[in-house]
Amino acid sequence: MNVSELLRLLQTEHDETTARADNLREQIERLTTALTETEARLAELTATRKVIDSLTPPDHATAPAETATVYQRIVTTFNEHPGKVFHVRDLHEHLGLPTDEPSINVTRSRLGRLVRQGLLEQPGRGRYQKRT
């Protein structure tokens, strides 16, 4: 291998590396722009959340979505069957919920809250129905 061939190979590698560096700089620029826009949107969302939280009275804290969904399903079931008396385990089976004791105890607590709110009544121990 002579000097001129070595210089030609070196120049080829230099050109390829320069092209790759340029390509990486362009990617960095695009990503930096995307990151800046995303961080700005995140700041907007955080500010919006703070405003909404400041306008929401503390005693009306929202329930987690999953809990609210279970409550909705329970109330819907009683609305669909207004005269029916449910035992907690029967309600779980009707809703397709797990029938293990911890899950049933959670539902029992939920039903107790719905009784206290006047949506349901408890005609007997462990039995619940829609208030008429």
Side-chain angles (χ1 to χ4, degrees), residues 16-129:
E16 290 171 357
T17 304
T18 300
R20 175 139 171 79
D22 290 342
N23 184 23
L24 290 171
R25 283 187 198 96
E26 289 173 11
Q27 287 180 21
I28 289 170
E29 187 177 328
R30 284 193 310 273
L31 290 172
T32 301
T33 301
L35 178 60
T36 301
E37 292 169 356
T38 303
E39 287 176 335
R41 180 64 179 146
L42 184 59
E44 291 171 356
L45 292 171
T46 301
T48 301
R49 176 63 186 235
K50 285 180 182 179
V51 169
I52 291 171
D53 283 345
S54 72
L55 297 175
T56 305
D59 59 311
H60 291 96
T62 57
E66 181 179 318
T67 303
T69 302
V70 173
Y71 273 107
Q72 290 169 352
R73 291 176 61 199
I74 290 171
V75 171
T76 299
T77 299
F78 280 100
N79 286 336
E80 290 172 350
H81 307 283
K84 182 169 175 144
V85 176
F86 283 97
H87 286 89
V88 181
R89 190 171 302 276
D90 298 335
L91 182 63
H92 263 246
E93 289 173 1
H94 180 80
L95 294 173
L97 297 173
T99 56
D100 59 290
E101 277 305 309
S103 296
I104 288 183
N105 287 335
V106 169
T107 299
R108 198 172 278 127
S109 295
R110 289 176 175 147
L111 292 170
R113 284 186 205 109
L114 292 171
V115 168
R116 288 189 296 279
Q117 292 173 355
L119 297 170
L120 300 179
E121 59 187 12
Q122 194 171 6
R125 185 167 183 235
R127 297 172 26 182
Y128 301 88
Q129 73 181 41

